[in-house]
Amino acid sequence: MRKRKLVLIGNGMAGVRCVEEILKIDGDAFDITIFGSEPYPNYNRILLSTVLQGDMSIDSITMNDWEWYRKNNIRLFVGETVINIDTEKRFVRTDKGRTVQYDKLIIATGSKPFILPIPGANKKGVTAFRDIKDCEMMMEYAKTYKKAAVIGGGLLGLEAARGLLNLGMEVDVIHIFDYLMERQLDPTASKLLQRELEKQGMNFLLKKETAEIFGDGRVEGVRFKDGTEIATDLVVMAVGIRPNVDLARESGIAVNRGIVVNDYLETSVPHIYAVGECAEHRGIVYGLVAPLYEQGKVLAEAVCGIKGRPYEGSVVSTQLKVSGVDLFSAGEFMDGEGTASIKVYDEFRGIYKKVVIRDGKIVGAVLFGDTSEGRKLLDMINKNENISNSFQLSFFQSTANSSNKSMVAAMADTDVVCGCNGVTKGTICKAIAEHGLKTVEEVRDCTNASRSCGGCKGLVAELLEYTLGEEFDKYAMKETICGCTTLSREEVIDEIKAKNLKYVKEVMNVLGWKNEEGCSKCRPALNYYLSMLYPSEYVDEAESRFVNERLHANIQADGTYSVVPRMYGGVTTAEQLRKIADVAEKYNVPMIKLTGGQRIDLLGVKKEDLPRIWAELDMPSGYAYAKALRTVKTCVGKQFCRFGTQDSTKLGIDMEKKFERLNTPHKVKMAVSACPRNCAESGIKDVGIVGVDGGWEIYVGGNGGTHLRAGDLLCTVRTEEEVIEMTGAFLQYYRESANYLERTSKWVERVGLEHIREVIFDQETRRQLLDRLEEALAATKDPWKEIVENKEMQEKLFTSLQVKVPVNR
């Protein structure tokens, strides 16, 4: 029997969730093809703000990786846009000339960011905040520029502003209304939020209507209709979204504000459905994930020929954290005709709670600062529950003094825990009992609870504790490597040693990985742990590395690459500069830039040109792409500086030559300053050395990135040899005990400076660490030279590369 052909236009959260539901109903019913305009697998758009804020990497917000599509026999075409639907012959055509037949077609094209139609909106430095490309653009801008303006004081605008603050920029938030987040908050809650955000460094320009963005080619400022203006280098427009309906309209499908659908998500054309932000149901277009997932479940049944419960609309609710402030909003939260409200306002603790009632029933609520009653209130709204004789002010105080265990015990099985995915307490407890779930990650994978915004993770953990009892401490709080295994980093390493495992696939097979191919999180981690444990015999698995490390160059937003040759200590020669200039001219390198680490960066290099450029430069790789030592930044030192106390340049060069190419859990940056003036910024490096009279101070665990952290003074030594010895012991202990992708700043805070001192100050332990470090360094090779001398590697990597894992920087 021929499989029916299902085509999904749009690789976003709503469309792919619908496909997941279809696979649950009948995994063999359809031959599935998905088209996505972005060059990524399905990712969590809700968490883009956490990437901008530096809390997560791009690969960590992937919801369904490349392997998921392969395992489910789904053809995925990324970076490819459907431009035409032939509704009579039932096929779609893409911008790459591809045509695909369909029996059933789902349109999930989402929304487009609204860009204000004002003069200057097309200038360089103006961006929306909608996808990964926008996120990367802002992160790149923050490296050079310092002033940002966010137009829009809604949720997305405030998240963008918080991220830009974390990136070190000064931020003005421009809003046309007189208070923030007017779609989710009433004026009282909004003013409380504004006060908190101002403490964090945001500046608000309310009741301001933007008239023009000015500047000579690039953004220089924003002018308002009242004649005032501000200076800025970057403008982020977060003023709203519009359903992406162009394709549907051009194909003759009925469109209003969105693509018009009925209660089974059917459009006006047979066999074509729409779901998500592009769909309009009963005159409403939904922009939050929970209603879109509800639509997806109904649509999945309809596509599979099961016309069960129809979609009748959703009560919109939002539970979120804006810059560390907890908020909840649901239903009709503004006072209006025929409504009465119950309010609690604790100004001292910054807590505000409001419930709106009509005809004895709760119709809406706003919570600020304490959102613990949010899910219960939403349940009451959805059940249309009459609370005339039962709801008292004590409801707001009932959870404040009770334990988490009593809170979850008091919940009914029908109470919703995960609002985004509609998962109840009963569903979670049943899954824990029936499937032996032990961690939040296992609950997420089994039930989808906490899979979207992640706001309910704490409650899921409480349910695990409530259900597992004494077993909770043993299992639930354990941090596993990823969702493919229940094993922690320490357990995996112990098993590798005990069973003498030597290959990534071997580890996954022997240790019972749930996903036999692993994922983009565990494969690079296992590759690192094996190389750390067996430096002289382990053969690095390139396919388990992120794309930057596979190609030994950083991929850029436009698909080109950057080349950063090694310049020890930031020192170069006229001969090296001539080589760099000649190469840049010969290969038409569009940008040559000096980096913050005192190196020269050639940006915009084509992939196929990389080996030739490396050969002609004849310089070692600067490892600007790797989880390894990046650079050792130096000041000129006593040789030239009037205030220098030590030869910092020489020590910096010696350290860089000693530790170059050393693989580490995350990137490592070092600096050597010749005096306490600290021109090389030694105080905010992973390892920073400061010259003082008669010796050197060694600082560790510094971070100059989004989470600024001053380094801790590890020790003071007299000689350069001692500096290298103590640094080597510190690095090796970090290599052996840190989690993969854990920066030294996080590691030092986690394990404690005193513990690190106890380990590396012990002479015998230090000697053993240094012996293992020397073994690791002896096995390293310069990757550029290795590829230049290996034609087979050049052919494999630079002419027919197929990227299987996401980019990580």
Side-chain angles (χ1 to χ4, degrees), residues 622-667:
Y623 269 65
Y625 49 83
K627 309 295 180 287
L629 172 63
R630 295 287 180 91
T631 62
V632 180
K633 189 174 183 178
T634 65
C635 67
V636 295
K638 69 178 183 180
Q639 187 176 1
F640 292 98
C641 178
R642 290 179 296 129
F643 306 101
T645 62
Q646 305 283 3
D647 191 349
S648 54
T649 304
K650 177 183 179 298
L651 178 57
I653 292 171
D654 290 346
M655 292 181 71
E656 192 160 349
K657 287 184 175 180
K658 175 67 177 179
F659 301 118
E660 67 174 321
R661 302 195 294 268
L662 180 68
N663 285 326
T664 47
H666 210 302
K667 62 185 175 185

Short mmCIF file of all heavy atoms in Angstrom, two decimals, residues 622-667:
data_model
loop_
_atom_site.label_atom_id
_atom_site.label_comp_id
_atom_site.label_asym_id
_atom_site.label_seq_id
_atom_site.Cartn_x
_atom_site.Cartn_y
_atom_site.Cartn_z
N GLY A 622 45.90 29.69 14.74
CA GLY A 622 45.69 30.45 15.97
C GLY A 622 44.62 29.87 16.87
O GLY A 622 44.34 30.42 17.94
N TYR A 623 43.98 28.77 16.43
CA TYR A 623 42.97 28.06 17.22
C TYR A 623 41.83 28.97 17.68
O TYR A 623 41.24 28.78 18.75
CB TYR A 623 43.62 27.38 18.44
CG TYR A 623 44.06 25.97 18.16
CD1 TYR A 623 45.07 25.70 17.23
CD2 TYR A 623 43.46 24.90 18.79
CE1 TYR A 623 45.47 24.41 16.96
CE2 TYR A 623 43.86 23.59 18.53
CZ TYR A 623 44.86 23.36 17.60
OH TYR A 623 45.24 22.07 17.34
N ALA A 624 41.48 29.97 16.85
CA ALA A 624 40.43 30.91 17.22
C ALA A 624 39.05 30.27 17.20
O ALA A 624 38.06 30.89 17.57
CB ALA A 624 40.46 32.11 16.27
N TYR A 625 38.96 29.02 16.75
CA TYR A 625 37.70 28.30 16.59
C TYR A 625 37.54 27.18 17.60
O TYR A 625 36.50 26.53 17.65
CB TYR A 625 37.66 27.66 15.20
CG TYR A 625 38.94 26.90 14.91
CD1 TYR A 625 39.12 25.60 15.36
CD2 TYR A 625 40.01 27.51 14.26
CE1 TYR A 625 40.30 24.93 15.16
CE2 TYR A 625 41.20 26.84 14.05
CZ TYR A 625 41.35 25.54 14.51
OH TYR A 625 42.53 24.89 14.32
N ALA A 626 38.55 26.90 18.40
CA ALA A 626 38.63 25.62 19.11
C ALA A 626 38.36 25.76 20.60
O ALA A 626 38.46 26.84 21.19
CB ALA A 626 40.01 25.00 18.91
N LYS A 627 38.02 24.61 21.21
CA LYS A 627 37.98 24.49 22.66
C LYS A 627 39.41 24.15 23.07
O LYS A 627 39.79 23.00 23.26
CB LYS A 627 37.02 23.39 23.09
CG LYS A 627 35.64 23.48 22.45
CD LYS A 627 34.90 24.73 22.90
CE LYS A 627 33.53 24.78 22.25
NZ LYS A 627 33.58 25.12 20.81
N ALA A 628 40.22 25.19 23.19
CA ALA A 628 41.65 25.04 23.42
C ALA A 628 42.19 26.40 23.82
O ALA A 628 41.44 27.37 23.94
CB ALA A 628 42.34 24.54 22.14
N LEU A 629 43.51 26.48 24.02
CA LEU A 629 44.11 27.78 24.28
C LEU A 629 43.96 28.66 23.05
O LEU A 629 44.40 28.30 21.96
CB LEU A 629 45.60 27.62 24.63
CG LEU A 629 46.38 28.95 24.74
CD1 LEU A 629 45.85 29.81 25.86
CD2 LEU A 629 47.87 28.70 24.90
N ARG A 630 43.33 29.81 23.21
CA ARG A 630 43.16 30.74 22.10
C ARG A 630 44.43 31.61 21.97
O ARG A 630 45.25 31.40 21.10
CB ARG A 630 41.92 31.61 22.32
CG ARG A 630 40.60 30.83 22.31
CD ARG A 630 40.22 30.39 20.91
NE ARG A 630 38.98 29.65 20.84
CZ ARG A 630 37.77 30.17 20.64
NH1 ARG A 630 37.62 31.47 20.54
NH2 ARG A 630 36.70 29.40 20.57
N THR A 631 44.55 32.59 22.85
CA THR A 631 45.69 33.51 22.76
C THR A 631 46.25 33.81 24.14
O THR A 631 45.58 33.61 25.14
CB THR A 631 45.28 34.85 22.11
OG1 THR A 631 44.29 35.49 22.95
CG2 THR A 631 44.70 34.65 20.73
N VAL A 632 47.47 34.30 24.17
CA VAL A 632 48.06 34.89 25.37
C VAL A 632 48.33 36.35 25.03
O VAL A 632 49.22 36.67 24.25
CB VAL A 632 49.35 34.18 25.81
CG1 VAL A 632 49.90 34.84 27.07
CG2 VAL A 632 49.10 32.70 26.05
N LYS A 633 47.53 37.21 25.60
CA LYS A 633 47.65 38.65 25.34
C LYS A 633 48.74 39.23 26.24
O LYS A 633 48.86 38.84 27.40
CB LYS A 633 46.30 39.32 25.63
CG LYS A 633 46.19 40.76 25.20
CD LYS A 633 44.75 41.24 25.41
CE LYS A 633 44.58 42.68 24.92
NZ LYS A 633 43.17 43.15 25.09
N THR A 634 49.53 40.16 25.70
CA THR A 634 50.62 40.71 26.50
C THR A 634 50.68 42.23 26.37
O THR A 634 50.19 42.81 25.40
CB THR A 634 51.99 40.15 26.04
OG1 THR A 634 52.25 40.60 24.70
CG2 THR A 634 52.00 38.63 26.08
N CYS A 635 51.28 42.85 27.37
CA CYS A 635 51.67 44.26 27.23
C CYS A 635 53.16 44.27 26.84
O CYS A 635 53.81 43.22 26.80
CB CYS A 635 51.44 45.02 28.53
SG CYS A 635 52.51 44.51 29.89
N VAL A 636 53.69 45.43 26.54
CA VAL A 636 55.08 45.46 26.02
C VAL A 636 56.12 45.18 27.10
O VAL A 636 57.25 44.78 26.80
CB VAL A 636 55.39 46.82 25.33
CG1 VAL A 636 54.52 46.98 24.12
CG2 VAL A 636 55.21 47.98 26.29
N GLY A 637 55.75 45.37 28.39
CA GLY A 637 56.66 45.00 29.46
C GLY A 637 57.80 45.97 29.66
O GLY A 637 57.88 47.03 29.03
N LYS A 638 58.71 45.58 30.53
CA LYS A 638 59.76 46.49 30.97
C LYS A 638 60.75 46.84 29.85
O LYS A 638 61.51 47.79 29.97
CB LYS A 638 60.50 45.91 32.16
CG LYS A 638 61.36 44.68 31.85
CD LYS A 638 62.09 44.22 33.09
CE LYS A 638 63.01 43.04 32.81
NZ LYS A 638 63.72 42.59 34.02
N GLN A 639 60.72 46.06 28.74
CA GLN A 639 61.65 46.34 27.65
C GLN A 639 61.39 47.72 27.04
O GLN A 639 62.30 48.39 26.58
CB GLN A 639 61.53 45.26 26.58
CG GLN A 639 62.57 45.36 25.48
CD GLN A 639 62.47 44.22 24.48
OE1 GLN A 639 61.61 43.37 24.59
NE2 GLN A 639 63.38 44.21 23.51
N PHE A 640 60.09 48.15 27.04
CA PHE A 640 59.76 49.45 26.48
C PHE A 640 58.95 50.34 27.43
O PHE A 640 59.02 51.56 27.33
CB PHE A 640 58.94 49.26 25.19
CG PHE A 640 59.73 48.67 24.06
CD1 PHE A 640 59.67 47.32 23.78
CD2 PHE A 640 60.57 49.45 23.29
CE1 PHE A 640 60.39 46.76 22.74
CE2 PHE A 640 61.30 48.91 22.24
CZ PHE A 640 61.22 47.56 21.97
N CYS A 641 58.16 49.75 28.30
CA CYS A 641 57.26 50.54 29.13
C CYS A 641 58.00 51.13 30.34
O CYS A 641 58.75 50.41 31.03
CB CYS A 641 56.09 49.67 29.61
SG CYS A 641 54.94 50.54 30.69
N ARG A 642 57.73 52.40 30.65
CA ARG A 642 58.40 53.06 31.78
C ARG A 642 57.94 52.51 33.13
O ARG A 642 58.63 52.67 34.13
CB ARG A 642 58.12 54.56 31.75
CG ARG A 642 58.81 55.28 30.59
CD ARG A 642 58.49 56.76 30.59
NE ARG A 642 57.07 57.02 30.36
CZ ARG A 642 56.32 57.79 31.13
NH1 ARG A 642 56.84 58.36 32.20
NH2 ARG A 642 55.06 57.99 30.84
N PHE A 643 56.74 51.86 33.14
CA PHE A 643 56.21 51.37 34.41
C PHE A 643 56.35 49.85 34.55
O PHE A 643 55.97 49.29 35.57
CB PHE A 643 54.72 51.76 34.52
CG PHE A 643 54.48 53.22 34.35
CD1 PHE A 643 54.01 53.73 33.14
CD2 PHE A 643 54.76 54.11 35.38
CE1 PHE A 643 53.79 55.08 32.98
CE2 PHE A 643 54.55 55.46 35.21
CZ PHE A 643 54.07 55.96 34.01
N GLY A 644 56.84 49.19 33.52
CA GLY A 644 56.91 47.74 33.53
C GLY A 644 57.90 47.21 34.56
O GLY A 644 59.01 47.72 34.70
N THR A 645 57.48 46.17 35.27
CA THR A 645 58.35 45.56 36.28
C THR A 645 58.95 44.24 35.82
O THR A 645 59.91 43.76 36.41
CB THR A 645 57.55 45.29 37.57
OG1 THR A 645 56.50 44.37 37.27
CG2 THR A 645 56.95 46.58 38.13
N GLN A 646 58.34 43.64 34.75
CA GLN A 646 58.79 42.33 34.30
C GLN A 646 58.75 42.27 32.77
O GLN A 646 58.16 43.12 32.10
CB GLN A 646 57.88 41.23 34.86
CG GLN A 646 57.72 41.22 36.37
CD GLN A 646 58.92 40.62 37.08
OE1 GLN A 646 59.91 40.26 36.44
NE2 GLN A 646 58.88 40.54 38.39
N ASP A 647 59.39 41.21 32.21
CA ASP A 647 59.37 41.00 30.76
C ASP A 647 58.11 40.18 30.40
O ASP A 647 58.16 38.97 30.21
CB ASP A 647 60.63 40.26 30.31
CG ASP A 647 60.78 40.24 28.79
OD1 ASP A 647 59.80 40.61 28.09
OD2 ASP A 647 61.85 39.85 28.30
N SER A 648 56.99 40.87 30.33
CA SER A 648 55.71 40.20 30.11
C SER A 648 55.61 39.61 28.70
O SER A 648 54.99 38.56 28.51
CB SER A 648 54.56 41.18 30.32
OG SER A 648 54.74 42.33 29.52
N THR A 649 56.20 40.25 27.71
CA THR A 649 56.10 39.76 26.34
C THR A 649 56.78 38.40 26.20
O THR A 649 56.23 37.47 25.61
CB THR A 649 56.73 40.76 25.36
OG1 THR A 649 56.09 42.03 25.52
CG2 THR A 649 56.57 40.30 23.93
N LYS A 650 57.97 38.28 26.76
CA LYS A 650 58.69 37.01 26.69
C LYS A 650 57.91 35.91 27.39
O LYS A 650 57.76 34.79 26.87
CB LYS A 650 60.08 37.14 27.33
CG LYS A 650 60.87 35.81 27.34
CD LYS A 650 62.20 35.98 28.05
CE LYS A 650 62.96 34.65 28.07
NZ LYS A 650 62.23 33.60 28.83
N LEU A 651 57.38 36.19 28.60
CA LEU A 651 56.65 35.16 29.33
C LEU A 651 55.39 34.77 28.56
O LEU A 651 55.04 33.59 28.47
CB LEU A 651 56.28 35.65 30.73
CG LEU A 651 55.46 34.66 31.57
CD1 LEU A 651 56.17 33.32 31.72
CD2 LEU A 651 55.15 35.26 32.95
N GLY A 652 54.71 35.75 27.97
CA GLY A 652 53.51 35.46 27.19
C GLY A 652 53.81 34.54 26.02
O GLY A 652 53.05 33.60 25.74
N ILE A 653 54.89 34.83 25.31
CA ILE A 653 55.29 33.98 24.18
C ILE A 653 55.63 32.57 24.65
O ILE A 653 55.23 31.57 24.05
CB ILE A 653 56.49 34.62 23.44
CG1 ILE A 653 56.04 35.91 22.73
CG2 ILE A 653 57.09 33.64 22.43
CD1 ILE A 653 57.18 36.72 22.16
N ASP A 654 56.38 32.48 25.76
CA ASP A 654 56.75 31.17 26.30
C ASP A 654 55.51 30.35 26.68
O ASP A 654 55.44 29.15 26.42
CB ASP A 654 57.66 31.34 27.52
CG ASP A 654 59.05 31.86 27.16
OD1 ASP A 654 59.39 31.82 25.95
OD2 ASP A 654 59.77 32.33 28.07
N MET A 655 54.54 31.01 27.29
CA MET A 655 53.32 30.31 27.71
C MET A 655 52.51 29.85 26.50
O MET A 655 51.97 28.74 26.48
CB MET A 655 52.46 31.22 28.61
CG MET A 655 53.09 31.50 29.97
SD MET A 655 52.06 32.54 31.01
CE MET A 655 50.74 31.41 31.41
N GLU A 656 52.42 30.71 25.49
CA GLU A 656 51.64 30.35 24.31
C GLU A 656 52.28 29.19 23.57
O GLU A 656 51.59 28.28 23.09
CB GLU A 656 51.48 31.56 23.40
CG GLU A 656 50.45 31.35 22.31
CD GLU A 656 49.93 32.65 21.74
OE1 GLU A 656 50.19 33.73 22.30
OE2 GLU A 656 49.26 32.58 20.68
N LYS A 657 53.60 29.20 23.45
CA LYS A 657 54.28 28.09 22.79
C LYS A 657 54.17 26.80 23.61
O LYS A 657 54.11 25.71 23.04
CB LYS A 657 55.76 28.44 22.57
CG LYS A 657 55.97 29.47 21.47
CD LYS A 657 57.44 29.73 21.22
CE LYS A 657 57.62 30.67 20.02
NZ LYS A 657 59.05 30.95 19.74
N LYS A 658 54.12 26.95 24.92
CA LYS A 658 54.04 25.77 25.78
C LYS A 658 52.66 25.10 25.68
O LYS A 658 52.57 23.87 25.56
CB LYS A 658 54.30 26.17 27.24
CG LYS A 658 54.12 25.05 28.26
CD LYS A 658 55.17 23.97 28.08
CE LYS A 658 55.04 22.89 29.13
NZ LYS A 658 56.05 21.82 28.94
N PHE A 659 51.60 25.89 25.70
CA PHE A 659 50.26 25.32 25.83
C PHE A 659 49.43 25.36 24.55
O PHE A 659 48.26 24.96 24.58
CB PHE A 659 49.50 26.04 26.96
CG PHE A 659 50.17 25.95 28.30
CD1 PHE A 659 50.60 27.10 28.95
CD2 PHE A 659 50.39 24.72 28.90
CE1 PHE A 659 51.23 27.03 30.19
CE2 PHE A 659 51.01 24.64 30.14
CZ PHE A 659 51.44 25.80 30.79
N GLU A 660 49.99 25.84 23.44
CA GLU A 660 49.19 25.90 22.21
C GLU A 660 48.72 24.49 21.82
O GLU A 660 49.38 23.50 22.06
CB GLU A 660 50.01 26.52 21.07
CG GLU A 660 51.18 25.70 20.61
CD GLU A 660 51.86 26.30 19.38
OE1 GLU A 660 51.16 26.81 18.48
OE2 GLU A 660 53.11 26.26 19.33
N ARG A 661 47.54 24.45 21.23
CA ARG A 661 46.92 23.21 20.73
C ARG A 661 46.42 22.28 21.83
O ARG A 661 45.95 21.17 21.55
CB ARG A 661 47.87 22.45 19.80
CG ARG A 661 48.33 23.24 18.58
CD ARG A 661 48.95 22.35 17.54
NE ARG A 661 50.17 21.71 17.94
CZ ARG A 661 51.38 22.20 17.73
NH1 ARG A 661 51.53 23.35 17.10
NH2 ARG A 661 52.44 21.54 18.11
N LEU A 662 46.49 22.72 23.10
CA LEU A 662 46.00 21.88 24.19
C LEU A 662 44.48 21.91 24.21
O LEU A 662 43.87 22.96 24.40
CB LEU A 662 46.54 22.39 25.53
CG LEU A 662 46.11 21.59 26.77
CD1 LEU A 662 46.73 20.20 26.76
CD2 LEU A 662 46.49 22.35 28.05
N ASN A 663 43.85 20.75 23.99
CA ASN A 663 42.39 20.68 24.03
C ASN A 663 41.90 20.84 25.46
O ASN A 663 42.44 20.22 26.39
CB ASN A 663 41.90 19.33 23.48
CG ASN A 663 42.00 19.28 21.97
OD1 ASN A 663 41.83 20.27 21.29
ND2 ASN A 663 42.30 18.10 21.45
N THR A 664 40.87 21.65 25.64
CA THR A 664 40.30 21.93 26.96
C THR A 664 38.78 21.84 26.88
O THR A 664 38.21 21.85 25.79
CB THR A 664 40.74 23.33 27.44
OG1 THR A 664 40.55 24.27 26.37
CG2 THR A 664 42.19 23.35 27.86
N PRO A 665 38.08 21.77 28.03
CA PRO A 665 36.62 21.67 27.99
C PRO A 665 35.94 22.84 27.28
O PRO A 665 34.87 22.68 26.70
CB PRO A 665 36.24 21.60 29.47
CG PRO A 665 37.43 21.03 30.14
CD PRO A 665 38.60 21.59 29.38
N HIS A 666 36.52 24.00 27.36
CA HIS A 666 36.00 25.17 26.65
C HIS A 666 37.21 26.02 26.26
O HIS A 666 38.34 25.68 26.58
CB HIS A 666 35.04 25.96 27.55
CG HIS A 666 33.97 26.69 26.78
ND1 HIS A 666 34.25 27.62 25.80
CD2 HIS A 666 32.61 26.62 26.84
CE1 HIS A 666 33.11 28.08 25.30
NE2 HIS A 666 32.10 27.49 25.91
N LYS A 667 36.95 27.09 25.53
CA LYS A 667 38.07 27.94 25.12
C LYS A 667 38.76 28.54 26.34
O LYS A 667 38.14 28.79 27.37
CB LYS A 667 37.57 29.05 24.20
CG LYS A 667 36.56 30.00 24.82
CD LYS A 667 36.05 30.98 23.79
CE LYS A 667 34.94 31.86 24.37
NZ LYS A 667 34.34 32.75 23.36
#
